[in-house]
Amino acid sequence: MNNEEFLTDEELKQIEQLTDRMVNHASEEEIKRCITEITMIKERARLRQLQITEK
């Protein structure tokens, strides 16, 4: 099960912006920050989907 399938349009837009930020501001700290934010967005989507399937 791929959690990208459960991302909202807004979440997809946020991930795209964070990915662009990683590419454009490629300091190690900025890349780590972006990866963390992307991971959090995807995990929230996964948890939301699990909650929906449990109901």
Side-chain angles (χ1 to χ4, degrees), residues 1-8 11 15 38-54:
M1 185 178 287
N2 188 348
N3 61 356
E4 279 90 0
E5 297 170 10
F6 308 117
L7 293 168
T8 64
E11 290 166 334
I15 289 172
I38 290 168
T39 301
M40 289 172 48
I41 291 167
K42 289 181 177 184
E43 283 300 308
R44 279 194 299 268
R46 187 180 69 82
L47 289 172
R48 183 178 59 240
Q49 184 59 32
L50 285 174
Q51 290 173 341
I52 290 170
T53 57
E54 287 178 354

Side-chain angles (χ1 to χ4, degrees), residues 12-47:
L12 288 169
K13 183 178 177 184
Q14 288 175 333
I15 289 172
E16 183 179 332
Q17 290 172 343
L18 288 164
T19 303
D20 289 344
R21 201 165 87 195
M22 274 196 303
V23 171
N24 295 326
H25 306 285
S27 74
E28 185 175 340
E29 286 302 312
E30 187 66 16
I31 290 171
K32 287 179 183 178
R33 208 169 311 141
C34 291
I35 290 171
T36 300
E37 289 182 48
I38 290 168
T39 301
M40 289 172 48
I41 291 167
K42 289 181 177 184
E43 283 300 308
R44 279 194 299 268
R46 187 180 69 82
L47 289 172

